[in-house]
Amino acid sequence: MRKQLKRSYRISRYVVYKETLIDYREKLWSFVGSFVGIGTIAAIQSFFLNAHDNLFLIGSFGASSVLIYGVIQSPLAQPRNLLGGHLVSALVGVTVAQVLPDILWITAPLAVSLSILGMQFTKTLHPPGGATALIAVSGSEQIKAMGYLYVLYPVLAGVIILLLVALLVNNITSQRVYPNDGRFSRTFNWFLNPVRTQSLQIKRGRRLRRLKRQIRRR
């Protein structure tokens, strides 16, 4: 009994230890990616669009940022899911808004439920897509008046910006690979390798300087 309790205790400690480990470099790149991605969309919103027109920066982009910058290995965060999930959901949401009368307790659940089915059938499940569909039926009158233009702008335009930033930031270091199959990294090594080489040279230079300091002290 004691052995079992001790073994359970050791396992519990190990699980807690693993779950509470913090990789500060990973957290840094998650911050950089989300800041640049959302910041780019917000900058376009602020500097190039009407200050009173809040259509470009929709809430579901924030949820997508959590996945594509913070949980990049998740199947739900891959480019196919990001693009397809938002587009399918936007199409479903706009169609529901166009076809059915403006009765929120009908259109809202129907848009979200149908968007889930659409993403499942197309294998593009992306949780923020549900929010994209919901915005299409519950958003402002400006959004509803856009009709299917909503699919192209803000949805497709914003998603492309988020994806481009994710492809760049998530492949700068060798520890992060996005998408999971590594096709982007192999295709764009001509751009990524010089950045990684420079980073390695900086690290080596720091190590050499530390060694020299240690030798001098001795």
Side-chain angles (χ1 to χ4, degrees):
M1 186 67 178
R2 288 183 179 178
K3 288 183 179 179
Q4 289 180 347
L5 288 173
K6 287 181 179 179
R7 185 171 180 275
S8 300
Y9 176 69
R10 288 197 300 269
I11 293 172
S12 300
R13 284 187 61 185
Y14 177 76
V15 170
V16 171
Y17 169 74
K18 291 291 288 184
E19 290 297 320
T20 54
L21 280 176
I22 298 176
D23 189 334
Y24 291 100
R25 289 175 297 183
E26 283 291 310
K27 303 299 181 289
L28 174 63
W29 287 117
S30 297
F31 172 83
V32 170
S34 58
F35 187 89
V36 174
I38 295 295
T40 301
I41 298 175
I44 294 172
Q45 171 75 54
S46 301
F47 297 114
F48 300 103
L49 302 177
N50 191 318
H52 302 290
D53 183 0
N54 296 320
L55 300 180
F56 197 46
L57 192 61
I58 59 176
S60 55
F61 289 162
S64 290
S65 296
V66 175
L67 287 171
I68 65 173
Y69 303 122
V71 199
I72 65 174
Q73 300 302 319
S74 169
L76 305 178
Q78 302 311 302
R80 174 190 174 93
N81 299 73
L82 174 67
L83 285 167
H86 276 291
L87 291 178
V88 169
S89 299
L91 283 168
V92 169
V94 173
T95 301
V96 170
Q98 294 286 324
V99 172
L100 297 178
D102 191 10
I103 303 174
L104 192 61
W105 63 271
I106 294 178
T107 56
L110 190 60
V112 174
S113 301
L114 288 177
S115 69
I116 293 172
L117 284 177
M119 288 186 286
Q120 287 175 331
F121 277 115
T122 57
K123 296 181 180 180
T124 58
L125 195 63
H126 187 65
T132 298
L134 187 60
I135 291 169
V137 298
S138 65
S140 65
E141 292 301 321
Q142 287 177 300
I143 288 179
K144 293 177 182 178
M146 293 177 70
Y148 287 99
L149 185 60
Y150 169 76
V151 179
L152 300 177
Y153 163 87
V155 175
L156 180 59
V159 167
I160 288 174
I161 291 172
L162 293 178
L163 177 59
L164 290 175
V165 173
L167 290 173
L168 176 62
V169 172
N170 292 337
N171 288 282
I172 286 180
T173 65
S174 58
Q175 287 77 25
R176 292 169 71 91
V177 177
Y178 181 82
N180 272 345
D181 57 13
R183 282 179 295 180
F184 176 82
S185 299
R186 291 194 296 271
T187 305
F188 290 88
N189 272 337
W190 61 270
F191 175 76
L192 296 170
N193 280 340
V195 177
R196 291 172 179 168
T197 302
Q198 187 65 30
S199 176
L200 287 172
Q201 288 177 349
I202 292 172
K203 289 179 181 178
R204 288 171 184 169
R206 289 175 180 173
R207 290 173 186 170
L208 286 173
R209 285 194 291 271
R210 287 175 187 171
L211 286 172
K212 288 179 181 178
R213 289 173 187 171
Q214 290 175 358
I215 293 170
R216 289 173 184 173
R217 288 173 184 173
R218 291 175 184 175

